[in-house]
């Protein structure tokens, strides 16, 4: 059993290798006209079981030994929380108040359509893909949950890389993705309880009540208090960054303790409190998160993917089918929700493209299904494959759709406000 010292040294090497390769491939992707995110995800794929694990298994085992990635996972999770918090801080509260109902409608349509399609597909898949002892009902609902989720951290990184976070459509995407994430984690809790034979309406109702109470407390209590207290504790960049990080992590811990997703707390902290802080002073925090934490997190997604399982024709067929169901369901749902909210054709397509990204959220759900015995190793690979492919295809599709949307004066003004976040970049 490795000592604490050797585990820490291994962690340092892991971060160094992932960050270096993510930086190299990210720059290569940018030179090829692709989002940086594509290269950062590819770094993990090359270092994971798909490539290095087969080309040099001994080296891969030494670099990323099974059961010794706890420190690396913790590093990535802290980065994700800060990334989501910063994204929340760049939201336009006025737009959220005015069009929050539309974003909610988009989110619900983008959830329900792929959820229904996923559940139906789960009932139609051959019995060979079911894990032993798993009921068809639990399996089908679990597949539905994996089809309907959206990855807020990956979306945040994508919009930032593309330089379009100031656009109105991007604000809608982020807000709708927040609703998706909240409901997605609620659904995961429910299906996990189903798998354990302890699902009940009381637990679901309690989670919903906690969610509403937390948001109300953040907006009605914490925001007014922060407006008075922040000037006294954020007199320079150093104190501002320390305060912002503390607020995001503490808020994430509170929602985690309440049985909700920690990412939800981080986002609410950013939207409710960090929006009151000077973005110029917080710009160095954004730089370190986007340049160090986020690339390691994204490379970590690719690190979990073993595409060799897809060499089996039956598994590849299931993977392609579920990928089509996931993409068609999310696009159709988001498009329907946007159009009913009186948004244009290209705005609706941009929403579908942005919300189709699943990233680490789906990876976590897949890992939960594997741990619960709901998914086989092959189905776990299929779900992670969908997460990576949708994360890779979202940026070019989103960029193509947004190009059809000329910016208005409000968006240009928002870009000027957000420019302060890049002051140290």
């Amino acid at each position: 059993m490795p000592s604490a010292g050797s585990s820490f040294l291994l962690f340092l090497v892991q971060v160094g290798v992932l960050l270096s390769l993510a930086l190299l491939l990210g720059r290569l992707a940018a030179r090829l006209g692709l989002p940086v995110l594509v290269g950062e995800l590819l770094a993990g794929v090359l270092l994971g079981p798909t490539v290095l694990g087969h080309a040099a298994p001994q080296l891969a085992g030494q670099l990323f030994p099974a059961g010794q990635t706890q420190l690396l996972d913790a590093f990535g999770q802290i980065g994700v929380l800060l990334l989501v918090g910063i994204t929340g801080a760049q939201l336009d509260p006025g737009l959220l108040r005015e069009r929050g109902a539309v974003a909610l409608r988009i989110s619900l349509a983008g959830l329900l359509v792929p959820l229904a399609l996923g559940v139906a597909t789960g009932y139609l898949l051959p019995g060979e893909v079911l894990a032993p002892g798993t009921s068809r009902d639990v399996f089908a609902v679990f597949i539905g949950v994996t089809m309907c989720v959206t990855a807020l951290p990956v979306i945040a990184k994508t919009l930032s890389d593309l330089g379009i976070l100031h656009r109105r459509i991007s604000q809608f995407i982020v807000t709708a993705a927040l609703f998706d994430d909240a409901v997605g984690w609620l659904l995961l809790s429910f299906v996990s309880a189903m798998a354990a034979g302890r699902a009940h309406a009381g637990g679901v109702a309690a989670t919903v009540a906690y969610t509403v109470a937390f948001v109300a407390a953040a907006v009605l209590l914490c925001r007014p208090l922060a407006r008075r207290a922040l000037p006294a504790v954020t007199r320079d960049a150093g104190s501002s960054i320390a305060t912002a990080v503390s607020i995001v992590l503490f808020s994430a811990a509170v929602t985690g303790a309440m049985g909700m997703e920690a990412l939800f707390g981080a986002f609410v902290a950013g939207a409710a409190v960090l929006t009151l802080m000077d973005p110029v002073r917080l710009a160095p925090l954004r730089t370190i998160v986007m340049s160090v934490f986020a690339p390691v997190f994204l490379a970590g997604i690719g690190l979990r993917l073993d595409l060799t399982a897809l060499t089996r024709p039956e598994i590849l067929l299931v993977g392609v089918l579920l990928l089509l169901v996931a993409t068609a369901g999310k696009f159709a749902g988001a498009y329907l929700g946007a159009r009913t909210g009186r948004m244009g054709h290209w705005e609706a397509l941009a929403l579908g493209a942005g919300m189709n990204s699943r990233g680490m959220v789906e990876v976590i759900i897949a890992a939960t299904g594997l741990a619960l015995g709901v998914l086989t190793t092959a189905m776990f690979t299929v779900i992670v494959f969908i997460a990576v492919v949708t994360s890779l295809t979202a940026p070019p599709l989103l960029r193509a759709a947004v190009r059809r949307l000329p910016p208005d004066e409000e968006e240009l003004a928002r870009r000027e406000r957000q420019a302060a976040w890049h002051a140290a970049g």
Side-chain angles (χ1 to χ4, degrees):
M1 185 174 182
S3 65
S6 62
S7 296
F8 182 69
L9 291 177
L10 178 63
F11 160 71
L12 296 179
V13 173
Q14 290 171 338
V15 172
V17 171
L18 284 174
L19 183 58
S20 299
L21 188 58
L23 174 64
L24 177 64
L25 295 181
R27 289 188 173 179
L28 178 60
R31 290 179 65 89
L32 296 176
L34 298 172
V36 175
L37 170 145
V38 173
E40 293 168 346
L41 281 169
L42 183 58
V45 173
L46 294 179
L47 291 172
T50 300
V51 179
L52 186 63
H54 284 270
Q58 185 174 1
L59 175 60
Q62 292 176 343
L63 188 56
F64 300 103
Q68 294 190 48
T69 59
Q70 296 92 336
L71 291 176
L72 184 62
D73 290 341
F75 183 88
Q77 287 304 309
I78 290 176
V80 169
L81 293 173
L82 295 177
L83 172 62
V84 171
I86 289 172
T87 302
Q90 296 179 72
L91 278 185
D92 185 342
L95 180 63
L96 185 59
R97 286 191 297 268
E98 294 174 8
R99 305 298 299 274
V102 177
L104 179 59
R105 183 185 297 119
I106 294 168
S107 174
L108 289 176
L111 276 166
L112 295 177
V113 173
L115 175 64
L117 290 176
V119 171
T121 305
Y123 278 109
L124 296 175
L125 290 177
E128 290 78 7
V129 301
L130 269 70
T134 299
S135 73
R136 174 69 73 169
D137 292 339
V138 173
F139 176 78
V141 174
F142 201 92
I143 293 298
V145 173
T146 64
M147 295 296 98
C148 74
V149 296
T150 296
L152 179 59
V154 176
I155 289 174
K157 182 67 163 57
T158 299
L159 296 174
S160 182
D161 283 347
L162 296 178
I164 58 173
L165 194 55
H166 66 283
R167 301 298 302 271
R168 184 181 71 144
I169 191 64
S170 299
Q171 303 277 304
F172 274 116
I173 291 172
V174 171
T175 306
L178 169 64
F179 290 135
D180 267 23
D181 262 8
V183 177
W185 294 118
L186 179 64
L187 290 173
L188 177 61
S189 300
F190 178 73
V191 74
S192 299
M194 283 181 62
R198 51 180 174 79
H200 56 88
V204 176
T207 302
V208 173
Y210 285 148
T211 301
V212 173
F214 180 79
V215 173
V219 175
L220 301 178
L221 180 62
C222 296
R223 184 175 173 87
L225 290 175
R227 194 186 300 275
R228 296 181 179 182
L230 285 176
V233 296
T234 58
R235 298 181 181 278
D236 52 43
S239 59
S240 297
I241 291 172
T243 300
V245 172
S246 299
I247 290 171
V248 170
L249 296 184
F250 180 73
S251 181
V254 170
T255 52
M258 295 169 70
M260 298 182 292
E261 173 55 36
L263 290 175
F264 180 71
F267 184 88
V268 173
V273 179
L274 267 59
T275 49
L276 301 173
M277 301 177 69
D278 183 358
V280 174
R281 292 177 178 175
L282 294 181
L285 174 61
R286 179 193 177 277
T287 299
I288 194 69
V289 169
M290 299 299 294
S291 302
V292 178
F293 283 100
V296 173
F297 158 71
L298 290 166
I301 295 178
L303 199 63
R304 288 169 164 80
L305 184 63
D306 185 0
L307 292 175
T308 57
L310 298 177
T311 57
R312 295 164 53 188
E314 66 276 15
I315 299 301
L316 178 60
L317 182 61
V318 169
V320 172
L321 173 63
L322 288 178
L323 176 61
L324 292 175
V325 169
T327 302
K330 185 61 75 172
F331 263 90
Y335 188 89
L336 177 64
R339 295 296 278 171
T340 57
R342 298 182 179 181
M343 299 180 72
H345 170 72
W346 288 107
E347 286 182 307
L349 288 180
L351 278 162
M355 295 181 66
N356 191 44
S357 178
R358 287 165 173 84
M360 194 61 175
V361 175
E362 192 163 45
V363 174
I364 293 172
I365 291 176
T368 302
L370 186 66
L372 290 171
V374 177
L375 299 180
T376 62
T377 302
M379 282 302 297
F380 169 78
T381 299
V382 166
I383 301 302
V384 177
F385 165 73
I386 294 171
V388 174
V389 171
T390 55
S391 297
L392 291 175
T393 55
L397 293 175
L398 182 58
R399 179 163 50 190
V402 172
R403 281 176 177 170
R404 302 293 188 113
L405 303 172
D408 56 28
E409 293 183 2
E410 181 183 340
E411 291 177 338
L412 294 176
R414 191 181 299 121
R415 181 176 64 181
E416 292 300 319
R417 291 195 300 270
Q418 291 185 1
W421 284 91
H422 302 263

